[in-house]
Amino acid sequence: MGMERGEFVYRIYRALTYGLSPLIHLHLRWRKLRGLEHALRWRERLGVPSHSRPPGPLFWFHAVSLGEGMCAIPVIKCCIERRPDVTVLMTTTTTSAFEVIKHQLPENVIYQFSPVDTPGAVDAFLRYWKPSAIMLMESELWPNLIIGAAKNRIALALLNARMSVKSYDSWSQPYINSLTSLMLSKFLLVLPLSTTQAIRFQLLQCPPFIINFCGDLKYAVGNIDTNEGDQRALEELQVQLMNRKVWMASSIHKGEEKVMLAVHNALKEIHPDIITIIVPRHPQHGEQIALELEKDGVRVALRSRHDKLMPGTNIYVVDTLGELQKFYRLTPIAVIGGSFLPGSAGHNISEAAAAGCAILTGQFISCLLDRTWIQSAASLGSRLLSFVSFECLVNLKSLYRSFLSYGNTDATLESFVSITGFWTHSCRSSQQPS
């Protein structure tokens, strides 16, 4: 009965997205004019390919934005190493992710923009690329894509799977929950971030036998390659910071910079030479912060301008993409934004934790992460800041990172590689007649 209701709700969804397709097409054109879609490759979002498909089995990895896309790269590299006969296709949704990830992928990986979830775009995409398996990252549940893949007997996996409280409330609404159950029944593998996430998926009728635990892929993400000039500037900054007190506010949303600047001013009274690194969630926000501060006579170093820390400069604004992990390595303290204003949901603290930072957050964090765990981490960070000097934190960070190098990051990656059996099944399924 539940599946029949789910099929009925899906038919309504498919009819609605089919009817709205012309408006979605116009919306994509409008986004292109505003610079939100790639000027030359925006048609890929409609399922129009810009690259030829090689013969043989093909695995498709899909992520929305930069963070999820970077998590897919370690799995892609292992996939290529273990299955050199397979072609890998990577897609993302945002242009910001495209600009960074295209330089991080192995050379033989095909990179496209993902199709919007309309019947025409999804069907055209699947018909052209004919993937043997689809690996979706984190929380990408799109009905036309998932049901279309299942009808074409394409194996589906959800990696680094997460289900926030807000998303859970949405997917568990009456009638919508039957569609959710239908979609989750099409997966062969779901790898949640935590037990809490797994419980939410099971409450949404995800079959328990397809749920496995492998840890967070963010811990397996390696260093991001940067060009020689940017790398040299980063090394120079590291030298400049060696004898200074430094802390970082990362993933800052609009409005939160006021909180961070107030903290900076308070800390400056105690440590006049302190450096505050501000990394906004959106790079364009960084330039706005710098301009506002400069209007008030505050000296600011801006990453995109390749500014150096001159005497009297105490604020460094990072308005570039793909460098958050490298800046975590420069600071002993990380304050994670997206958690200080009502309506916020917080951001994943895995990268900061992996870099050995003492972590603090605001109170609005329950939507994305295990609240108990993150509050424990924030409590630890608060105690460290209260009783331990900046110098001691730097030493603790170094020790912790050494410990991590002998930890379970490799084991986490190996757990994902253990789905080779899933890949083999995918190739066999794709070769069977429909």
Side-chain angles (χ1 to χ4, degrees), residues 330-344:
L330 300 181
T331 174
I333 303 163
V335 178
I336 313 298
S339 59
F340 289 89
L341 300 177
S344 302

Side-chain angles (χ1 to χ4, degrees), residues 130-432:
K130 297 182 176 65
S132 305
I134 301 175
M135 271 62 75
L136 304 176
M137 303 303 298
E138 297 206 359
S139 56
E140 284 297 270
L141 297 178
W142 293 102
N144 284 322
L145 171 57
I146 293 170
I147 306 302
K151 286 181 178 178
N152 285 279
R153 304 182 70 178
I154 301 168
L156 285 158
L158 189 61
L159 308 185
N160 244 32
R162 65 174 175 85
M163 179 66 65
S164 68
V165 173
K166 185 176 180 180
S167 295
Y168 173 79
D169 289 342
S170 298
W171 286 117
S172 59
Q173 293 291 321
Y175 295 101
I176 300 297
N177 59 356
S178 58
L179 175 60
T180 310
S181 176
L182 176 67
M183 285 193 291
L184 292 175
S185 72
K186 305 302 181 183
F187 284 89
L188 288 181
L189 183 69
V190 173
L191 302 177
L193 285 169
S194 67
T195 305
T196 302
Q197 304 291 336
I199 291 171
R200 289 178 190 149
F201 277 103
Q202 288 196 47
L203 289 172
L204 292 171
Q205 304 303 310
C206 179
F209 59 85
I210 69 170
I211 296 176
N212 290 276
F213 294 93
C214 294
D216 191 342
L217 270 177
K218 285 185 182 290
Y219 289 110
V221 176
N223 291 329
I224 297 175
D225 297 330
T226 52
N227 63 56
E228 189 177 340
D230 287 342
Q231 184 60 33
R232 194 183 307 114
L234 203 62
E235 290 170 356
E236 290 175 0
L237 177 63
Q238 187 172 11
V239 172
Q240 290 178 303
L241 294 175
M242 284 180 66
N243 299 315
R244 305 279 295 268
K245 308 292 190 300
V246 59
W247 69 288
M248 183 167 83
S250 65
S251 299
I252 299 302
H253 289 221
K254 203 158 192 176
E256 290 184 325
E257 73 277 5
K258 297 176 181 177
V259 178
M260 303 306 151
L261 292 172
V263 173
H264 167 78
N265 291 331
L267 287 172
K268 194 176 176 184
E269 293 181 7
I270 306 169
H271 305 286
D273 65 337
I274 196 167
I275 295 293
T276 297
I277 301 174
I278 298 177
V279 188
R281 180 69 172 170
H282 302 289
Q284 61 270 26
H285 184 206
E287 188 175 359
Q288 295 170 7
I289 293 172
L291 289 173
E292 290 296 324
L293 288 171
E294 287 170 345
K295 283 180 183 177
D296 295 335
V298 178
R299 298 187 66 171
V300 180
L302 194 62
R303 174 67 170 158
S304 63
R305 295 191 309 222
H306 304 287
D307 293 343
K308 295 184 178 180
L309 284 175
M310 305 301 291
T313 303
N314 295 85
I315 297 177
Y316 191 94
V317 179
V318 181
D319 60 336
T320 52
L321 284 167
E323 295 190 300
L324 186 58
Q325 184 185 54
K326 292 185 176 182
F327 277 91
Y328 278 137
R329 295 176 182 273
L330 300 181
T331 174
I333 303 163
V335 178
I336 313 298
S339 59
F340 289 89
L341 300 177
S344 302
H347 291 292
N348 198 316
I349 69 171
S350 300
E351 286 179 294
C357 297
I359 300 167
L360 296 98
T361 75
Q363 62 178 313
F364 303 103
I365 50 155
S366 61
C367 287
L368 281 180
L369 303 169
D370 187 315
R371 191 178 183 91
T372 304
W373 184 73
I374 195 171
Q375 283 182 336
S376 298
S379 175
L380 173 61
S382 299
R383 292 195 200 101
L384 286 171
L385 291 176
S386 300
F387 300 108
V388 183
S389 67
F390 272 87
E391 292 81 0
C392 186
L393 276 175
V394 172
N395 293 331
L396 282 170
K397 177 185 174 76
S398 176
L399 179 65
Y400 181 64
R401 284 182 58 191
S402 298
F403 169 76
L404 278 179
S405 67
Y406 295 100
N408 291 323
T409 32
D410 289 338
T412 300
L413 201 51
E414 283 300 316
S415 297
F416 280 90
V417 175
S418 69
I419 64 174
T420 302
F422 162 78
W423 289 337
T424 304
H425 168 83
S426 305
C427 290
R428 287 175 182 167
S429 297
S430 67
Q431 291 167 1
Q432 294 175 0

Side-chain angles (χ1 to χ4, degrees), residues 70-88:
M70 292 303 298
C71 288
I73 292 177
V75 188
I76 289 173
K77 289 179 178 178
C78 279
C79 174
I80 292 171
E81 182 182 341
R82 302 281 178 117
R83 295 294 306 275
D85 60 309
V86 170
T87 299
V88 174

Side-chain angles (χ1 to χ4, degrees), residues 12-22 24 117-119 144:
I12 294 174
Y13 175 86
R14 186 174 176 86
L16 285 173
T17 50
Y18 179 81
L20 291 172
S21 293
I24 294 172
D117 199 51
T118 61
N144 284 322

